[in-house]
Amino acid sequence: MQSWQMVRVVGRSMVVVINPFKPTAGKMPPILIGRQSIIEDFSEALTNGVGAPGRIMLVTGQRGFGKTVMLTEFRRIAKAQHWEVIGETASAGLAARLIAALSPSGLRLDQANIGPSIGISGIATASLGQAHFSAESNPLTLRNALNKQLGSKKLGKGKGILITIDETQAASHDDLVAIATAVQHVITDADEGDTPDADKKGVAIVFAGLPYMVNDLLDNEVTTFLRRALRRELDNVPLPDVKNAFLETVADSGKTISEEDALEAARRSEGYPYMVQLVGYYMWQSAQRRGSNVITADDVSTGVSDALLAFDDAVCAPALDGITGAERLFLMAMAKDSPNTTQVGDIADRTRRSRSWVSKYRAILIKDKLIRPAGHGQLEFAVPHLGQYSSSFSPRSTSSISSLPSFSAVKTAAKCRSCARYLLEHSARRISSLPSP
């Protein structure tokens, strides 16, 4: 018998019981907990017709908060309402791939470039693997492709096309501009006809990505129409909801867990959606390895330990990949108190930096959802276990960074404020990249 499944005999048939929890990126969990409000926003927008705010949506959240799962659910809902759906993940050539998905049988373009220097006009018959669209032509081409598909008899009255774009922060500026411009014009085109609102076919688009991507999108002058989009931020799931989900999911799988142990598992997950799936998966697996249908307190403890190892690799490490040396220094100062809160004043003392320096990086890290306020003058980590993970940085880096000179000392040596700031930032980056001894 393999460790991840159990065989039960029911009558004369063999029933394979598998682990019901799904801690895999983008995999639909057995129960979507704490997300009903955003699901209703989207579903109602499809029903309420062209112009409903939920038809342009920005979904943000840290890694592991279930953004990809939400996009999957949105596509499922749209398909059930007989919409056409296109799901993409942002990377080079995003706009061209959307055009290909909308017009698989060939495109009529104003101009297409085949290869690096040959241009043709009229009908492009080359495969999109060889065709390259200029940034200037992409908005018009995508607009035409959307309108052509919306005019298809395959789409019923009042239906439309849903486009979901995951990892939006990885999209190029040109692709975002092309998509935003095309969608904006398609919405306007629909208003120019005399079709009754209930019969109008429309387009819905949902962007999902890390928190900082919202500001990047809204700051661009061409995508200002996105300011009217419905913005939804995925956050931690309330612990009572997590506990009830554990009880229900475990029971549906043929096992049992007490209310007390389910609540302890919920507490240890901290309501972080990915951690919920990890804890559920490993505590269920612990009972399975014992051949038991009862998940005990020991199984919960074992499950949490295994879950934390997986969580560090999948969430904590990527969360810190793009941070600067100064931001890492700030987090390391906070990590000394983890899992408790940190006094803002202690960060200035530990880093030997000015209050303005602390204020600056406090704001940056809060905006990036790595830390959050926890009462007057207090901060805490916004990602479970990130404090403990940060405290495991190499001792050499810790001692070297803590020995950096203060801002005033560097300013005196550098003779100018801008030079001093550069030296501090540069030193912090260099030290943060030092290998462990």
Side-chain angles (χ1 to χ4, degrees), residues 233-246:
E233 183 175 324
L234 301 182
D235 208 342
N236 295 56
V237 180
L239 295 188
D241 291 347
V242 177
K243 182 202 77 171
N244 292 334
F246 278 147

Side-chain angles (χ1 to χ4, degrees), residues 4 14 23 29 36 40 62 71 110 114 132 179 201 266 284 286 293 296 316 326 329 340 342 433:
W4 63 85
M14 304 284 282
Q36 194 57 38
E40 289 174 354
Q62 277 293 353
L71 296 185
D110 294 321
I114 309 301
H132 302 279
I179 293 165
K201 300 177 184 180
W284 193 97
S286 177
N293 285 330
T296 65
C316 292
L329 175 58
N340 300 316
T342 298
S433 65

